[in-house]
Amino acid sequence: MSTSVAFEKAKAENRAALVGYLPAGFPSVEGSIEALTTMVEAGCDIIEIGLPYSDPVMDGPTIQDAVQQALDGGVRVDDVVRVVEAVASTGVPTLIMTSWNPIERRGVDRFAQQLQDAGGAGLITPDITPDFAQEWIEAADARDLDKVFLVAPSSTDERIAMTTAQCRGFVYATAVMGVTGARAKTSDLAAPLVARTRTTTDLPIGVGLGVSNGAQAAEMAAYADGVIVGSAFVRTLLDNRSDEQAALKALASLTEDLAAGVRAR
Amino acid sequence: MTTHIHETTSFDADEFGWFGGEAEGFGGRFMPEALMKALIELDDAWQKAKADPEFVAEFDAILRDYANLPSPLYHATRLSEQLGVRILLKREDLNHTGAHKIRNVLGQALLTKRMGKTRVIAETGAGQHGVASATAAAYFGLDCTVYMGKVDTDRQALNVARMRLLGAEVVPVPSGSGTLKDAINEALRDWVASVDHTAYLFGTAAGPHPFPTLVRDIVRGIGDEARAQAIEQFGGLPNAVVAAVGGGSNAIGLFTAFLDDSDVEIHGFEAGGDGFETGRHAATIQANDPGVLHGARTYVLQDEDGQTIESHSISAGLDYPGVGPQHAWLAKSGRASYTSITDKEAMDAFALLSRSEGIIPAIESAHAIAGAIKIAPEIKERHGEGATILINLSGRGDKDMGTAIDYFKLGDEK
């Protein structure tokens, strides 16, 4: 199911959509399914599942830590697809967020087919841009999968237009110049970027990087169609790693706080 | 004039950074959108700089007056006698800071100045590129941060001290395997956040476009000098040119001037570690598995899920699970041949060159010596008496004495 469904629903309710991220296989394959399901039940409108990769350039220390644990635990690409299938079966649009090489290594077309068969919505590809993603664009177009590329505060207007022209589902606007990770203050670069992006597309725009609580989510929901949260969820699991029930409880309450935030625009 | 940085060959990348074209070739620019503007600006700045005679003259003057270039081309007579072919050594070990790497950092730092940026960052494995970067930063008065895997900072304390003495900040990187590839990841993460005022001095002719081209242009002086010296001092072109290949900057630096000399054989030697068949090696081209690592499509050591596999080599400078995309293309197109040299073969050559010529090579360069030893009989057979092999002696071995002491048990009393 395309993420556009969730964005339309949020729009009809005059709010932003909440997009939640966790890497597959963290703390374990089953554990990640349970955690993501908890996030869905507590109010995430869209789920991003991270495909753990050995050399993630766009991730900060929190997500790197979780991804390394997932890799050390032996998570495989097929496990990631299994997590997608389980989460997508809840009825919430579910994407994979991945560095490029695992997709290239498997074969872009073969991966796209697996993703579609599992009920996945599409891919977020943070370390490639449309001008180097022709094969993925064709594979996604053939299956109507979401293609979510990123725009950044440093992007020129020309590149934003080129990028949004190739997106399907939504556009991912990175709120800061930097890698993933919770930040104490929201960025003043995000709103101008969303405004510049809006002039090029009718697609919904999700803003990510640095959001960790309901108040920040509310600030971003004022101008964005979606608020994307990753490291804060990961942090919650890392902080409660010895107590699974406490972790899920904390995850649910963070989700509720953020879900209230996207409704308080 | 020592550098021909503005010259081109038939093996150059297209404007998108593809060596051999997008469909069949290698390279490209697989990077986060956040860095695209900077990479495009860097490409533009380089195109303009290398066409500017003032820039070229300034670069030449720095290489000459500061880095001790051009380096000599030396006829290694005793080694030649032993191998039955004439061996010429391009003495990059005599450069300031002891390796070819000084060329790369001075060129990139000069470009950084021209672009008006005030800070440089670099990754380093064993610390050689880090030391070179810190040196160039000191020379040009730039701030410098060097990322180095935690495993490497622990085992290369001397180079960490050198960098700090030169005024650089050294940041140990504990993530991943705590080695070179993780240092590159961390440097890229820094760059995503600092790109408006910071230049990334990439350590080898790899990474996203334009780095493979930019670094190649800057270090091609190795081959430009050697080619002219071979003609002037020895009456003609060599029959073969030989270099060690890790990321591949010293090799592409030598090869470029000879790429369109179709009579000159080109041989690259990768690090075979414990032996290719053991799986514990850094012979990326020989492994022949294309992927995308650190911004380029190239050959990558990876598992079936595309996760990078750790490389192994006694030589820290060759211990990298990827390779510059132009080498991947030179291999695939057949212009150059690439095979591997085991740790043992390299260390035997390390000892042989020390004893027969009084030159202690870097272990990286010892791989090239070992390669020349290996191909000498066939070169002689193909090209007759008086056949000549030109080897890039890319660096000196002072930094490797710790390894040598352990390997040859030089510290033993009896």
Side-chain angles (χ1 to χ4, degrees), chain B residues 35-114:
Chain B
L35 291 175
M36 280 299 182
K37 181 162 165 264
L39 290 166
I40 292 166
E41 281 173 359
L42 182 63
D43 191 19
D44 289 347
W46 179 240
Q47 297 303 332
K48 292 196 178 89
K50 71 178 178 180
D52 176 355
E54 264 183 53
F55 178 88
V56 176
E58 193 178 357
F59 184 42
D60 273 345
I62 295 167
L63 291 181
R64 184 187 63 228
D65 301 336
Y66 182 67
N68 199 27
L69 292 165
S71 60
L73 185 66
Y74 164 72
H75 181 194
T77 50
R78 294 191 64 218
L79 186 62
S80 299
E81 256 171 53
Q82 290 175 51
L83 299 182
V85 295
R86 182 161 63 182
I87 298 289
L88 303 179
L89 301 178
K90 181 60 174 162
R91 295 291 307 276
E92 292 287 299
D93 59 317
L94 298 178
N95 300 355
H96 180 45
T97 72
H100 75 286
K101 284 177 180 291
I102 191 70
R103 296 176 185 264
N104 178 28
V105 291
L106 289 173
Q108 289 196 59
L110 182 63
L111 182 64
T112 301
K113 273 290 226 199
R114 183 184 165 100

Coordinates of all heavy atoms in Angstrom, one line a residue, chain B residues 35-114:
Chain B
L35 N 25.4 16.1 -0.2 CA 26.7 16.3 -0.6 C 26.8 16.7 -2.1 O 27.9 17.0 -2.6 CB 27.6 15.1 -0.3 CG 27.9 14.9 1.2 CD1 28.7 13.6 1.4 CD2 28.6 16.1 1.8
M36 N 25.7 16.5 -2.8 CA 25.8 16.7 -4.3 C 26.2 18.0 -4.7 O 27.1 18.2 -5.6 CB 24.4 16.4 -4.9 CG 24.1 14.9 -5.0 SD 25.3 14.1 -6.1 CE 24.8 12.5 -6.1
K37 N 25.7 19.1 -4.1 CA 26.1 20.4 -4.5 C 27.6 20.6 -4.3 O 28.3 21.1 -5.2 CB 25.4 21.5 -3.6 CG 25.7 22.9 -4.0 CD 24.6 23.8 -3.4 CE 25.0 25.3 -3.4 NZ 25.6 25.7 -2.1
A38 N 28.2 20.1 -3.2 CA 29.6 20.2 -2.9 C 30.4 19.5 -3.9 O 31.5 19.9 -4.4 CB 29.9 19.8 -1.5
L39 N 29.9 18.3 -4.3 CA 30.7 17.5 -5.3 C 30.7 18.1 -6.6 O 31.7 18.1 -7.4 CB 30.1 16.0 -5.3 CG 30.4 15.2 -4.1 CD1 29.5 14.0 -4.0 CD2 31.8 14.8 -3.9
I40 N 29.6 18.7 -7.0 CA 29.5 19.4 -8.3 C 30.3 20.6 -8.3 O 31.1 20.9 -9.3 CB 28.0 19.7 -8.6 CG1 27.2 18.4 -8.9 CG2 27.9 20.6 -9.8 CD1 25.7 18.5 -8.9
E41 N 30.3 21.3 -7.2 CA 31.2 22.5 -7.1 C 32.7 22.2 -7.2 O 33.5 22.8 -7.8 CB 30.9 23.3 -5.8 CG 29.7 24.1 -5.8 CD 29.4 24.7 -4.4 OE1 30.1 24.4 -3.4 OE2 28.4 25.5 -4.4
L42 N 33.0 21.1 -6.5 CA 34.4 20.6 -6.5 C 34.8 20.2 -7.9 O 35.9 20.6 -8.3 CB 34.5 19.4 -5.6 CG 35.9 18.8 -5.4 CD1 36.9 19.8 -4.8 CD2 35.9 17.5 -4.6
D43 N 34.0 19.6 -8.6 CA 34.3 19.2 -10.0 C 34.5 20.4 -10.9 O 35.5 20.6 -11.6 CB 33.1 18.4 -10.6 CG 33.4 17.7 -11.9 OD1 34.6 17.6 -12.2 OD2 32.5 17.3 -12.6
D44 N 33.6 21.4 -10.7 CA 33.7 22.6 -11.5 C 35.0 23.4 -11.2 O 35.7 23.8 -12.0 CB 32.5 23.6 -11.2 CG 31.2 23.1 -11.8 OD1 31.3 22.2 -12.6 OD2 30.1 23.6 -11.4
A45 N 35.3 23.5 -9.9 CA 36.5 24.2 -9.4 C 37.7 23.5 -10.0 O 38.7 24.2 -10.4 CB 36.5 24.2 -7.9
W46 N 37.7 22.2 -10.0 CA 38.9 21.5 -10.5 C 39.1 21.7 -12.0 O 40.2 21.9 -12.5 CB 38.8 20.0 -10.1 CG 40.0 19.2 -10.7 CD1 40.0 18.2 -11.5 CD2 41.4 19.5 -10.3 NE1 41.3 17.8 -11.8 CE2 42.2 18.6 -11.0 CE3 42.0 20.4 -9.5 CZ2 43.5 18.5 -11.0 CZ3 43.4 20.4 -9.4 CH2 44.2 19.5 -10.1
Q47 N 37.9 21.6 -12.7 CA 38.1 21.8 -14.2 C 38.7 23.2 -14.5 O 39.5 23.3 -15.4 CB 36.7 21.7 -14.8 CG 36.0 20.4 -14.7 CD 36.8 19.2 -15.3 OE1 37.6 19.4 -16.2 NE2 36.7 18.0 -14.7
K48 N 38.2 24.2 -13.7 CA 38.8 25.5 -13.9 C 40.2 25.6 -13.5 O 41.0 26.2 -14.2 CB 37.9 26.6 -13.2 CG 36.5 26.7 -13.8 CD 35.8 28.0 -13.3 CE 34.4 28.1 -13.9 NZ 33.4 27.5 -13.1
A49 N 40.5 25.1 -12.3 CA 41.9 25.2 -11.8 C 42.9 24.5 -12.7 O 43.9 25.1 -12.9 CB 41.9 24.5 -10.4
K50 N 42.6 23.3 -13.2 CA 43.6 22.7 -13.9 C 43.8 23.3 -15.3 O 44.9 23.0 -15.9 CB 43.3 21.2 -14.0 CG 42.2 20.7 -14.9 CD 42.1 19.2 -14.8 CE 41.0 18.7 -15.7 NZ 40.9 17.2 -15.6
A51 N 42.9 24.1 -15.7 CA 43.0 24.8 -17.0 C 43.7 26.2 -16.8 O 43.9 26.9 -17.7 CB 41.7 25.0 -17.7
D52 N 44.0 26.5 -15.5 CA 44.5 27.8 -15.2 C 46.0 27.7 -15.0 O 46.5 27.1 -14.1 CB 43.9 28.3 -13.9 CG 44.5 29.7 -13.4 OD1 45.4 30.2 -14.0 OD2 44.0 30.2 -12.4
P53 N 46.8 28.3 -16.0 CA 48.3 28.2 -15.9 C 48.9 28.7 -14.6 O 49.9 28.1 -14.1 CB 48.7 29.1 -17.1 CG 47.6 29.3 -18.0 CD 46.3 29.2 -17.1
E54 N 48.2 29.7 -14.0 CA 48.8 30.1 -12.7 C 48.7 29.1 -11.6 O 49.6 28.9 -10.8 CB 48.0 31.4 -12.2 CG 48.7 32.7 -12.6 CD 47.9 33.9 -12.1 OE1 47.6 33.9 -10.9 OE2 47.6 34.8 -12.9
F55 N 47.5 28.4 -11.6 CA 47.3 27.3 -10.6 C 48.4 26.2 -10.9 O 49.0 25.7 -9.9 CB 45.9 26.8 -10.7 CG 45.6 25.6 -9.8 CD1 45.2 25.9 -8.5 CD2 45.8 24.3 -10.2 CE1 44.9 24.8 -7.6 CE2 45.6 23.3 -9.3 CZ 45.1 23.5 -8.0
V56 N 48.5 25.8 -12.1 CA 49.4 24.8 -12.5 C 50.9 25.1 -12.1 O 51.6 24.3 -11.5 CB 49.3 24.4 -14.0 CG1 50.4 23.4 -14.3 CG2 47.9 23.9 -14.3
A57 N 51.2 26.4 -12.3 CA 52.6 26.8 -12.0 C 52.8 26.9 -10.5 O 53.9 26.5 -10.0 CB 52.8 28.2 -12.6
E58 N 51.8 27.3 -9.8 CA 51.9 27.3 -8.3 C 52.0 25.9 -7.8 O 52.9 25.6 -6.9 CB 50.7 28.0 -7.7 CG 50.9 28.4 -6.2 CD 49.7 29.1 -5.6 OE1 48.7 29.4 -6.4 OE2 49.7 29.4 -4.4
F59 N 51.2 25.0 -8.3 CA 51.3 23.6 -7.9 C 52.7 23.0 -8.2 O 53.3 22.4 -7.3 CB 50.2 22.8 -8.6 CG 50.1 21.3 -8.1 CD1 50.3 21.0 -6.8 CD2 49.9 20.3 -9.0 CE1 50.2 19.7 -6.4 CE2 49.9 19.0 -8.6 CZ 50.0 18.7 -7.3
D60 N 53.2 23.3 -9.3 CA 54.5 22.8 -9.7 C 55.6 23.3 -8.8 O 56.5 22.6 -8.3 CB 54.9 23.2 -11.1 CG 54.4 22.2 -12.2 OD1 54.1 21.1 -11.8 OD2 54.3 22.6 -13.4
A61 N 55.5 24.6 -8.4 CA 56.5 25.3 -7.6 C 56.5 24.6 -6.2 O 57.5 24.4 -5.6 CB 56.2 26.8 -7.5
I62 N 55.3 24.4 -5.7 CA 55.2 23.8 -4.3 C 55.8 22.3 -4.4 O 56.5 21.9 -3.5 CB 53.7 23.7 -3.9 CG1 53.2 25.1 -3.7 CG2 53.6 22.9 -2.6 CD1 51.7 25.2 -3.5
L63 N 55.4 21.6 -5.4 CA 56.0 20.2 -5.5 C 57.5 20.3 -5.6 O 58.2 19.5 -4.9 CB 55.5 19.5 -6.8 CG 54.0 19.2 -6.8 CD1 53.6 18.5 -8.1 CD2 53.6 18.3 -5.6
R64 N 58.1 21.2 -6.3 CA 59.5 21.3 -6.5 C 60.2 21.8 -5.2 O 61.1 21.2 -4.7 CB 59.8 22.3 -7.6 CG 61.3 22.4 -8.0 CD 61.5 23.5 -9.0 NE 61.1 24.8 -8.5 CZ 60.3 25.7 -9.1 NH1 59.8 25.4 -10.3 NH2 60.1 26.9 -8.5
D65 N 59.7 22.9 -4.6 CA 60.4 23.6 -3.6 C 60.1 23.0 -2.2 O 60.9 23.1 -1.3 CB 60.0 25.1 -3.5 CG 60.4 25.8 -4.8 OD1 61.3 25.3 -5.5 OD2 59.7 26.8 -5.1
Y66 N 59.0 22.4 -2.1 CA 58.5 21.9 -0.7 C 58.6 20.4 -0.7 O 58.9 19.8 0.4 CB 57.1 22.4 -0.4 CG 56.6 22.0 0.9 CD1 57.2 22.5 2.1 CD2 55.5 21.2 1.0 CE1 56.7 22.1 3.3 CE2 55.0 20.8 2.3 CZ 55.6 21.3 3.4 OH 55.1 20.9 4.7
A67 N 58.1 19.7 -1.7 CA 58.0 18.2 -1.7 C 59.1 17.5 -2.3 O 59.2 16.2 -2.2 CB 56.7 17.8 -2.4
N68 N 60.1 18.2 -2.8 CA 61.4 17.6 -3.3 C 61.1 16.8 -4.6 O 61.6 15.7 -4.8 CB 61.9 16.6 -2.2 CG 63.4 16.3 -2.5 OD1 64.1 17.1 -3.1 ND2 63.8 15.2 -2.0
L69 N 60.3 17.3 -5.5 CA 60.0 16.7 -6.7 C 60.6 17.4 -7.9 O 60.9 18.6 -7.8 CB 58.5 16.6 -6.9 CG 57.8 15.6 -5.9 CD1 56.3 15.9 -5.8 CD2 58.1 14.2 -6.2
P70 N 60.8 16.8 -9.1 CA 60.5 15.4 -9.4 C 61.4 14.5 -8.6 O 62.6 14.8 -8.4 CB 60.7 15.3 -10.9 CG 61.5 16.5 -11.3 CD 61.3 17.6 -10.2
S71 N 60.9 13.3 -8.3 CA 61.6 12.3 -7.7 C 62.5 11.6 -8.7 O 62.1 11.5 -9.9 CB 60.7 11.3 -7.0 OG 59.8 10.7 -7.9
P72 N 63.7 11.0 -8.3 CA 64.5 10.4 -9.3 C 64.0 9.1 -9.9 O 63.2 8.5 -9.3 CB 65.8 10.1 -8.5 CG 65.7 10.8 -7.2 CD 64.2 11.0 -7.0
L73 N 64.4 8.8 -11.1 CA 64.2 7.5 -11.7 C 65.5 6.8 -11.6 O 66.5 7.2 -12.2 CB 63.7 7.5 -13.1 CG 63.3 6.2 -13.7 CD1 62.1 5.6 -13.0 CD2 63.0 6.3 -15.2
Y74 N 65.6 5.7 -10.9 CA 66.8 5.1 -10.5 C 67.0 3.7 -11.1 O 66.0 2.9 -10.9 CB 66.9 5.0 -8.9 CG 68.0 4.1 -8.4 CD1 69.3 4.5 -8.5 CD2 67.6 2.9 -7.8 CE1 70.3 3.6 -8.0 CE2 68.6 2.1 -7.2 CZ 69.9 2.4 -7.3 OH 70.9 1.6 -6.8
H75 N 68.1 3.4 -11.7 CA 68.4 2.1 -12.3 C 68.9 1.2 -11.2 O 70.0 1.4 -10.7 CB 69.4 2.2 -13.4 CG 69.7 0.9 -14.1 ND1 70.8 0.7 -14.9 CD2 69.1 -0.3 -14.0 CE1 70.8 -0.5 -15.3 NE2 69.8 -1.2 -14.8
A76 N 68.1 0.3 -10.7 CA 68.5 -0.6 -9.6 C 69.4 -1.7 -10.2 O 68.9 -2.8 -10.6 CB 67.3 -1.2 -8.9
T77 N 70.7 -1.5 -10.3 CA 71.6 -2.4 -11.1 C 71.7 -3.8 -10.5 O 71.7 -4.8 -11.2 CB 73.0 -1.8 -11.2 OG1 73.4 -1.4 -9.9 CG2 72.9 -0.6 -12.1
R78 N 71.8 -3.9 -9.1 CA 72.0 -5.2 -8.6 C 70.7 -6.0 -8.7 O 70.8 -7.2 -9.0 CB 72.5 -5.1 -7.1 CG 73.9 -4.5 -7.0 CD 74.4 -4.6 -5.6 NE 74.6 -6.0 -5.2 CZ 74.4 -6.5 -4.0 NH1 73.9 -5.8 -3.1 NH2 74.7 -7.8 -3.8
L79 N 69.6 -5.4 -8.4 CA 68.3 -6.1 -8.6 C 68.1 -6.5 -10.1 O 67.7 -7.6 -10.4 CB 67.2 -5.3 -8.1 CG 65.8 -5.9 -8.0 CD1 65.8 -7.1 -7.1 CD2 64.7 -4.9 -7.6
S80 N 68.5 -5.6 -11.0 CA 68.4 -5.9 -12.4 C 69.2 -7.2 -12.8 O 68.7 -8.1 -13.5 CB 68.9 -4.7 -13.2 OG 68.1 -3.6 -13.0
E81 N 70.4 -7.2 -12.2 CA 71.3 -8.4 -12.5 C 70.6 -9.7 -12.0 O 70.6 -10.7 -12.7 CB 72.6 -8.2 -11.8 CG 73.7 -7.8 -12.6 CD 75.0 -7.5 -11.8 OE1 75.4 -8.3 -11.0 OE2 75.5 -6.3 -12.0
Q82 N 70.0 -9.6 -10.8 CA 69.4 -10.8 -10.3 C 68.2 -11.3 -11.1 O 67.9 -12.4 -11.2 CB 69.0 -10.6 -8.8 CG 70.1 -10.4 -7.8 CD 69.6 -10.1 -6.5 OE1 68.7 -10.7 -5.9 NE2 70.2 -9.0 -5.9
L83 N 67.5 -10.3 -11.6 CA 66.2 -10.7 -12.3 C 66.4 -10.8 -13.8 O 65.5 -11.3 -14.5 CB 65.1 -9.6 -12.0 CG 64.8 -9.4 -10.6 CD1 63.7 -8.3 -10.4 CD2 64.3 -10.7 -9.9
G84 N 67.5 -10.4 -14.4 CA 67.7 -10.5 -15.8 C 66.9 -9.6 -16.6 O 66.8 -9.8 -17.9
V85 N 66.4 -8.6 -16.1 CA 65.7 -7.5 -16.8 C 66.2 -6.2 -16.2 O 66.7 -6.2 -15.0 CB 64.2 -7.5 -16.8 CG1 63.7 -8.8 -17.5 CG2 63.7 -7.5 -15.3
R86 N 66.0 -5.1 -16.9 CA 66.4 -3.8 -16.3 C 65.3 -3.3 -15.4 O 64.1 -3.2 -15.9 CB 66.7 -2.8 -17.4 CG 67.2 -1.4 -16.8 CD 67.9 -0.6 -17.8 NE 67.0 -0.2 -18.9 CZ 67.4 0.5 -20.0 NH1 68.7 0.8 -20.1 NH2 66.6 0.8 -21.0
I87 N 65.6 -3.0 -14.2 CA 64.6 -2.5 -13.2 C 64.9 -1.1 -12.9 O 66.0 -0.7 -12.5 CB 64.7 -3.3 -11.9 CG1 64.4 -4.8 -12.1 CG2 63.8 -2.7 -10.8 CD1 63.0 -5.1 -12.4
L88 N 63.9 -0.2 -13.2 CA 63.9 1.2 -12.9 C 62.9 1.5 -11.8 O 61.8 1.0 -11.8 CB 63.5 2.0 -14.1 CG 64.4 1.8 -15.4 CD1 63.8 2.7 -16.5 CD2 65.8 2.0 -15.2
L89 N 63.4 2.2 -10.8 CA 62.6 2.5 -9.6 C 62.2 4.0 -9.6 O 63.1 4.8 -9.6 CB 63.3 2.2 -8.3 CG 63.7 0.7 -8.1 CD1 64.5 0.6 -6.8 CD2 62.5 -0.2 -8.1
K90 N 60.9 4.3 -9.6 CA 60.5 5.7 -9.4 C 60.5 6.0 -7.9 O 59.7 5.4 -7.2 CB 59.1 5.9 -10.0 CG 58.6 7.3 -9.9 CD 59.4 8.3 -10.6 CE 58.8 9.7 -10.6 NZ 59.8 10.8 -10.9
R91 N 61.5 6.8 -7.5 CA 61.8 7.0 -6.1 C 60.9 7.9 -5.4 O 61.3 8.9 -4.8 CB 63.3 7.4 -6.0 CG 64.3 6.4 -6.5 CD 64.3 5.1 -5.6 NE 64.5 5.4 -4.2 CZ 65.7 5.6 -3.6 NH1 66.8 5.5 -4.3 NH2 65.8 5.8 -2.3
E92 N 59.6 7.6 -5.3 CA 58.7 8.4 -4.5 C 58.9 8.3 -3.0 O 58.4 9.0 -2.2 CB 57.2 8.0 -4.8 CG 56.8 8.3 -6.2 CD 56.6 9.8 -6.4 OE1 55.7 10.4 -5.8 OE2 57.3 10.4 -7.3
D93 N 59.8 7.3 -2.6 CA 60.1 7.2 -1.2 C 61.0 8.4 -0.7 O 61.1 8.6 0.5 CB 60.9 5.9 -1.0 CG 62.1 5.8 -1.8 OD1 62.1 6.1 -3.0 OD2 63.2 5.4 -1.3
L94 N 61.5 9.1 -1.7 CA 62.4 10.3 -1.3 C 61.6 11.6 -1.2 O 62.2 12.6 -0.8 CB 63.5 10.4 -2.4 CG 64.4 9.2 -2.5 CD1 65.5 9.5 -3.6 CD2 65.1 9.0 -1.2
N95 N 60.3 11.5 -1.4 CA 59.5 12.7 -1.3 C 59.4 13.2 0.1 O 59.5 12.4 1.1 CB 58.0 12.5 -1.8 CG 58.0 12.1 -3.2 OD1 59.0 12.0 -4.0 ND2 56.8 11.7 -3.7
H96 N 59.1 14.5 0.3 CA 58.8 15.0 1.7 C 57.6 14.1 2.3 O 56.7 13.9 1.5 CB 58.4 16.4 1.6 CG 58.0 17.1 2.9 ND1 58.8 16.9 4.0 CD2 57.0 17.9 3.2 CE1 58.2 17.5 5.0 NE2 57.1 18.1 4.6
T97 N 57.8 13.7 3.5 CA 56.9 12.8 4.2 C 57.0 11.4 3.8 O 56.2 10.5 4.3 CB 55.4 13.3 4.3 OG1 54.8 13.1 3.1 CG2 55.3 14.7 4.8
G98 N 57.8 11.1 2.7 CA 58.1 9.7 2.5 C 57.3 8.9 1.6 O 57.4 7.7 1.6
A99 N 56.4 9.5 0.8 CA 55.6 8.7 -0.1 C 54.9 9.6 -1.1 O 55.0 10.8 -1.0 CB 54.5 8.0 0.7
H100 N 54.3 9.0 -2.1 CA 53.7 9.7 -3.2 C 52.5 10.5 -2.7 O 52.0 11.5 -3.3 CB 53.1 8.7 -4.2 CG 51.9 8.0 -3.8 ND1 51.9 7.0 -2.8 CD2 50.6 8.1 -4.1 CE1 50.7 6.5 -2.6 NE2 49.9 7.2 -3.4
K101 N 52.0 10.2 -1.5 CA 50.8 10.8 -1.0 C 50.9 12.3 -0.8 O 49.9 13.0 -0.8 CB 50.4 10.2 0.3 CG 49.7 8.8 0.1 CD 49.4 8.1 1.4 CE 48.7 6.7 1.2 NZ 47.4 6.8 0.6
I102 N 52.1 12.9 -0.6 CA 52.2 14.3 -0.4 C 51.7 15.1 -1.7 O 51.2 16.2 -1.6 CB 53.7 14.7 -0.1 CG1 53.8 16.1 0.3 CG2 54.6 14.4 -1.3 CD1 53.3 16.4 1.7
R103 N 51.9 14.4 -2.9 CA 51.4 15.1 -4.1 C 49.9 15.4 -4.0 O 49.4 16.4 -4.3 CB 51.6 14.2 -5.3 CG 53.0 13.9 -5.6 CD 53.1 12.9 -6.8 NE 54.4 12.5 -7.2 CZ 55.2 13.0 -8.1 NH1 54.7 14.0 -8.8 NH2 56.4 12.5 -8.3
N104 N 49.1 14.3 -3.6 CA 47.7 14.3 -3.5 C 47.2 15.4 -2.6 O 46.4 16.3 -2.9 CB 47.2 13.0 -3.1 CG 45.7 12.9 -3.0 OD1 44.9 13.7 -3.6 ND2 45.2 12.1 -2.1
V105 N 47.8 15.5 -1.4 CA 47.3 16.4 -0.4 C 47.6 17.9 -0.7 O 46.8 18.8 -0.5 CB 47.7 16.1 1.0 CG1 47.0 14.8 1.5 CG2 49.2 15.9 1.1
L106 N 48.8 18.0 -1.3 CA 49.2 19.4 -1.7 C 48.3 19.9 -2.8 O 47.9 21.1 -2.8 CB 50.7 19.5 -2.1 CG 51.7 19.3 -0.9 CD1 53.1 19.2 -1.5 CD2 51.6 20.5 0.1
G107 N 48.0 19.1 -3.7 CA 47.1 19.4 -4.8 C 45.7 19.8 -4.3 O 45.1 20.8 -4.7
Q108 N 45.2 18.9 -3.5 CA 43.8 19.1 -3.0 C 43.7 20.3 -2.1 O 42.8 21.0 -2.1 CB 43.3 17.8 -2.3 CG 42.9 16.7 -3.3 CD 42.1 15.7 -2.6 OE1 40.9 15.9 -2.2 NE2 42.6 14.4 -2.6
A109 N 44.8 20.5 -1.2 CA 44.8 21.6 -0.3 C 44.9 22.9 -1.1 O 44.3 23.9 -0.7 CB 45.9 21.5 0.7
L110 N 45.7 22.9 -2.1 CA 45.8 24.1 -2.9 C 44.5 24.5 -3.6 O 44.1 25.7 -3.6 CB 46.9 23.9 -4.0 CG 47.2 25.1 -4.9 CD1 47.8 26.3 -4.1 CD2 48.2 24.7 -6.1
L111 N 43.8 23.5 -4.0 CA 42.4 23.7 -4.5 C 41.5 24.2 -3.5 O 40.6 25.1 -3.7 CB 41.9 22.4 -5.2 CG 40.5 22.4 -5.8 CD1 40.6 23.4 -7.0 CD2 40.1 21.0 -6.2
T112 N 41.6 23.7 -2.2 CA 40.8 24.1 -1.1 C 41.0 25.6 -0.9 O 40.0 26.3 -0.7 CB 41.2 23.3 0.2 OG1 41.0 21.9 -0.1 CG2 40.3 23.8 1.3
K113 N 42.2 26.0 -0.9 CA 42.5 27.5 -0.7 C 41.9 28.3 -1.8 O 41.2 29.3 -1.5 CB 44.1 27.7 -0.8 CG 44.8 27.5 0.4 CD 44.5 28.6 1.4 CE 45.7 29.2 2.0 NZ 45.4 29.9 3.3
R114 N 42.0 27.8 -3.0 CA 41.4 28.5 -4.2 C 39.9 28.6 -4.0 O 39.3 29.6 -4.4 CB 41.8 27.7 -5.4 CG 41.4 28.4 -6.7 CD 41.7 27.4 -7.9 NE 41.0 27.8 -9.1 CZ 41.6 28.5 -10.1 NH1 42.8 28.9 -10.0 NH2 40.9 28.8 -11.2

